[in-house]
Amino acid sequence: MRVDVPGLRRALVPPDSVEWLYELRKFRHFFRNAYTLDLDPAKVRARVRDLEAAAPSVTEALDRFADELASAIRELTAT
């Protein structure tokens, strides 16, 4: 979702958010698969800061994507 597909769709994930989202995904994957876990508060705070930093651009990108989908649906269902 971070790659433009010409003629199909723009990239959904903003380039400035890719690394943050990757780190958040790694943390989520680790957390979901660790049954006995001692969380490092510093790492948790770092991931929270990443999420707070990435949230505005990701939210904007998702809103833009939703608008583009709605537009495509209108075009496809127009008679």
Side-chain angles (χ1 to χ4, degrees):
M1 297 300 293
R2 67 182 177 151
V3 176
D4 281 323
V5 181
L8 185 59
R9 64 163 175 80
R10 289 191 287 172
L12 175 61
V13 177
D16 61 335
S17 299
V18 170
E19 186 63 31
W20 290 326
L21 291 173
Y22 179 73
E23 289 300 318
L24 290 170
R25 186 178 59 85
K26 283 188 346 186
F27 179 76
R28 178 185 173 272
H29 178 77
F30 172 78
F31 185 78
R32 287 193 62 188
N33 292 293
Y35 295 103
T36 58
L37 176 67
D38 292 327
L39 289 175
D40 178 351
K43 287 184 180 180
V44 172
R45 281 191 291 276
R47 295 299 72 86
V48 168
R49 284 191 299 273
D50 289 345
L51 180 58
E52 289 172 340
S57 64
V58 171
T59 299
E60 181 182 315
L62 289 171
D63 289 342
R64 185 177 60 245
F65 186 64
D67 291 343
E68 290 173 3
L69 284 177
S71 177
I73 290 169
R74 282 192 300 275
E75 287 180 27
L76 290 171
T77 59
T79 54

